[in-house]
Amino acid sequence: MNGLRIGALARLVMLCTGTLGLVLAQLVVMRVVPSRRGALPLRFHRLTCWCLGVRTRVRGAPPPAGTGALIVANHVSWLDIGVIGAERELAFVAKSEVGEWPVVGFLANLQRTLYIDRQRRSATAGMAATMGARIANGEEVVLFAEGTTGDGTRILPFRSSLLGAAHQAMGDATADVTVYPLTITYTGWQGLPGGRGGRASLAWYGDTELWPHLKHVLECGAVDVELVWGEPIVMGRATSRKEATRLAEASVRKARQQAVTGRAEA
């Protein structure tokens, strides 16, 4: 398959076969026991990470299960979805175009992804209300606050426009909601540090096409990634959405600096 090595091809076949089985099972679960619809996406993401050789190191304390939280993360690659999704049951916020992509959009819909239409500001209010309801119901929602993917080393400015929407979780724009910063860093492969060039090769940004990037990840053999949970930020009465965004971005920048250099920013 376009020069794919035997081992990589075997892992791709396992991923496709396992995905088909889980999709069929998820369709049944969503109809019969919808309260358990988050369990199979978790297994799908773990299968994806296993087939792609992803090895994850986690630092920091994640949100307590069932309490509802807005997780604010940086964005590096399509692989981020699997890396985060393999850790816990949650939902993602994505641009509306994702829902229309072949296969990917179908899988995203099975995980009840929240979509935002960047071309229609009026659509943001409806998505915000849904996000708030999800959080109020004890779910965790992941927002990639940069609005796009980066090169694996730099952190782009976080956008505050969606963070304020989480206040609707309690039906009160001044109510408190807890924001959890999460930093994703691809540190290398096969146990060796990748450096700036290595991190860029694992990032999916700019005009990078999906299939060549997927092929590269498959042939890496083992991809090392670090997830760092920052200190929670209580957004609401005492901390505005803009201040919460600033604090979350600072937390992610500090964790990225530690991940790539081994030391904190001065």
Side-chain angles (χ1 to χ4, degrees):
M1 186 180 291
N2 195 25
L4 200 62
R5 297 172 185 169
I6 295 298
L9 179 59
R11 288 188 285 124
L12 180 60
V13 170
M14 285 190 289
L15 176 58
C16 292
T17 303
T19 297
L20 178 59
L22 287 171
V23 164
L24 295 175
Q26 178 72 347
L27 292 173
V28 174
V29 168
M30 292 178 70
R31 178 176 292 272
V32 179
V33 281
S35 62
R36 297 292 300 157
R37 57 191 164 213
L40 289 178
L42 179 70
R43 286 165 174 75
F44 164 71
H45 292 308
R46 288 177 176 174
L47 171 69
T48 299
C49 288
W50 183 78
C51 289
L52 297 181
V54 175
R55 305 186 299 193
T56 305
R57 177 192 178 199
V58 181
R59 294 195 290 115
T67 59
L70 178 62
I71 299 169
V72 177
N74 64 299
H75 200 7
V76 182
S77 168
W78 53 268
L79 191 54
D80 299 347
I81 307 298
V83 171
I84 302 174
E87 294 299 314
R88 14 194 340 110
E89 294 183 17
L90 37 73
F92 293 90
V93 177
K95 58 185 180 180
S96 58
E97 298 95 301
V98 172
E100 301 172 359
W101 291 353
V103 182
V104 173
F106 176 69
L107 294 175
N109 291 333
L110 287 181
Q111 192 166 356
R112 301 171 67 229
T113 296
L114 292 160
Y115 298 109
I116 180 167
D117 189 342
R118 297 177 182 174
Q119 305 303 317
R120 293 194 305 126
R121 291 182 179 274
S122 59
T124 302
M127 193 281 292
T130 303
M131 180 195 297
R134 296 271 191 96
I135 295 172
N137 196 40
E139 295 186 42
E140 296 171 16
V141 177
V142 179
L143 173 66
F144 293 115
E146 294 165 296
T148 186
T149 51
D151 64 3
T153 296
R154 295 175 298 169
I155 300 295
L156 303 176
F158 280 14
R159 300 179 179 182
S160 64
S161 57
L162 284 179
L163 270 71
H167 288 176
Q168 297 183 37
M170 297 178 66
D172 181 354
T174 63
D176 289 339
V177 62
T178 305
V179 175
Y180 286 82
L182 177 62
T183 309
I184 309 163
T185 303
Y186 294 90
T187 55
W189 53 83
Q190 299 291 2
L192 300 174
R196 182 182 291 270
R199 289 189 295 274
S201 72
L202 290 172
W204 187 53
Y205 68 109
D207 297 326
T208 307
E209 295 183 2
L210 180 58
W211 167 245
H213 192 268
L214 173 59
K215 179 183 175 184
H216 171 67
V217 173
L218 281 165
E219 294 185 339
C220 280
V223 175
D224 297 312
V225 59
E226 182 176 86
L227 291 179
V228 180
W229 293 98
E231 291 295 320
I233 302 162
V234 179
M235 178 175 63
R237 289 181 288 267
T239 306
S240 69
R241 67 179 174 88
K242 289 188 177 181
E243 178 64 8
T245 302
R246 186 191 68 79
L247 292 172
E249 181 180 332
S251 174
V252 170
R253 287 185 183 278
K254 179 179 179 181
R256 167 59 58 80
Q257 180 77 3
Q258 290 177 315
V260 301
T261 68
R263 61 181 184 275
E265 289 182 311

